[in-house]
Amino acid sequence: MTGAAVEGDEGAVVAIVAARTPAPLVLALRGLPGSTCIVAVSAQVIEDLVARDPDVIVVEAEAERFDAPVLIRTLRAQEALARTPILLVAAGEARALRRIGREVGATDVLAKPFDGLELHERVGVLLELALARRENDRQALAMRRDAAKAMLEAAARERELVRRLMLAAEFRDDQAGDHLTRVAGCVIAVAEGLGLSSAEADDVALASTMHDIGKIGVPDHILMKAGPLTPEEWDEMRQHALRGYHMLHDSPSRLLQIAAEIALTHHERWDGSGYPRGLKGEEIPRSGRIVAVADVFDALVSARSYKPAWPLEKARAHLESEAGRHFDPACVAAFLSRWDDIVALVQERSS
């Protein structure tokens, strides 16, 4: 069975489903501004209607030919037609028809015999409703697209801000750039080893590049000192964790909030002997526990003015021995599960 267009193909679409000839309905609906009336009288009515995506559907019930309530329920089960206004035209008492209409999902009902003008007005109202809904949907889609674009632009600005702050750290320490890049790579390995999504791992890795941002406030004679620090100098150096946190924590940016959390907690230790707050175990935020492993490992395998670089296997053995004391054992296990990737990263960034 096929559908046939009985008026122009421009404008809104009113679909008529009739068991017999739809001519009386078509004649009554002539004059709807810019409408296209469709006749669908085959067993393929559902496919025909979905394909035409009508603005309004008029279903004329003829009990001896097909079951209109079943048809309307079937239409409502189609995602494309779930919200399309449906007018049920049927013989019967008006109150009973309204009850049936509500039960099966009809938007409105019209009792036979119907007045042509009333049919015209009922369909006109439903058409206005449908077109208003479609315009609202169009505007909502445009707003969602604008919001998505704004979110992407905001995320790009956040990442640019982080990059600039990373550059600020590099100005104080010419070794910071490679260190921060390697730490971020190690963070991704640990985070993914712990089961974080790629997006979550990327966020923690990017935020980790600001873990030592508080060192901006450390005096040069301490930060650049070649030999061991005195107890007083160590106290001053340790202030960088709190300074970094205070620089970042009250930002509305989620990324900078993660960075503030890392800045504050990446020197905490699993056994509670770290600083600045002496947090223990899972009291330490996961981001801080992840960065602690990555930061210490890279510090060990990097040459500094006060020490040579450790061999990779010696640094690995140190992490293993400190799991459960300095480090979260799960973070160490995740780190070691990606050992080949870590080795490749260190060798690439050190070359």
Side-chain angles (χ1 to χ4, degrees), residues 19-295:
R20 296 177 177 176
T21 174
L25 296 175
V26 172
L27 290 174
L29 291 175
R30 288 191 181 278
L32 285 172
S35 301
T36 300
C37 294
I38 305 300
V39 179
V41 290
S42 75
Q44 303 301 318
V45 61
I46 304 300
E47 288 78 1
D48 290 344
L49 288 173
V50 171
R52 293 306 304 234
D53 189 23
D55 297 283
V56 175
I57 301 172
V58 179
V59 176
E60 183 182 21
E62 290 287 351
E64 70 275 15
R65 296 294 295 274
F66 72 94
D67 190 338
V70 170
L71 173 63
I72 294 174
R73 286 194 179 98
T74 304
L75 295 177
R76 287 296 186 224
Q78 308 299 309
E79 182 178 358
L81 302 177
R83 298 168 61 204
T84 303
I86 297 177
L87 174 64
L88 171 62
V89 179
E93 193 269 327
R95 181 177 297 179
L97 286 179
R98 286 196 296 271
R99 178 181 56 78
I100 294 171
R102 284 196 303 270
E103 291 175 353
V104 302
T107 311
D108 194 8
V109 296
L110 179 61
K112 292 182 178 182
F114 59 83
D115 177 84
L117 179 59
E118 185 176 7
L119 175 65
H120 193 284
E121 290 177 347
R122 296 279 190 95
V123 173
V125 169
L126 295 180
L127 194 55
E128 289 179 4
L129 174 66
L131 296 180
R133 188 206 75 205
R134 292 206 175 197
E135 176 61 17
N136 287 338
D137 289 347
R138 185 194 65 77
Q139 292 180 2
L141 177 60
M143 290 176 66
R144 287 195 296 271
R145 287 174 176 168
D146 289 345
K149 180 180 178 182
M151 289 178 65
L152 289 174
E153 291 174 349
R157 287 195 296 271
E158 280 189 336
R159 279 157 174 73
E160 175 63 12
L161 175 59
V162 169
R163 192 178 75 85
R164 296 293 174 178
L165 288 172
M166 180 178 168
L167 289 174
E170 288 186 55
F171 280 127
R172 295 297 318 284
D173 183 353
D174 61 5
Q175 295 176 323
D178 286 340
H179 171 64
L180 296 177
T181 302
R182 288 192 299 267
V183 167
C186 292
V187 164
I188 288 178
V190 177
E192 291 181 346
L194 290 173
L196 275 68
S197 68
S198 294
E200 291 173 319
D202 287 345
D203 282 348
V204 177
L206 185 57
S208 76
T209 63
M210 291 180 285
H211 69 276
D212 278 340
I213 193 67
K215 287 184 177 179
I216 289 175
V218 177
D220 284 349
H221 74 275
I222 297 176
L223 186 64
M224 308 299 182
K225 188 174 181 178
L229 299 180
T230 67
E232 293 77 15
E233 289 170 339
W234 264 117
D235 287 342
E236 176 60 31
M237 179 67 83
R238 287 173 176 172
Q239 295 304 310
H240 80 276
L242 283 169
R243 287 175 180 149
Y245 172 75
H246 288 306
M247 289 173 60
L248 303 169
H249 81 283
D250 57 354
S251 169
S253 162
R254 177 178 171 274
L255 190 59
L256 292 185
Q257 289 171 4
I258 297 173
E261 181 179 80
I262 291 171
L264 182 64
T265 63
H266 70 286
H267 286 297
E268 300 288 357
R269 292 174 177 247
W270 186 255
D271 63 6
S273 64
Y275 68 89
R277 294 181 173 174
L279 301 179
K280 183 177 181 180
E282 293 187 359
E283 293 175 351
I284 307 167
R286 182 170 58 181
S287 62
R289 304 195 310 262
I290 291 172
V291 175
V293 174
D295 183 36

Side-chain angles (χ1 to χ4, degrees), residues 314-327 332 336:
K314 181 180 178 181
R316 173 180 176 142
H318 177 77
L319 295 185
E320 291 175 323
S321 68
E322 288 296 315
R325 290 188 293 184
H326 188 156
F327 307 114
V332 173
L336 297 180

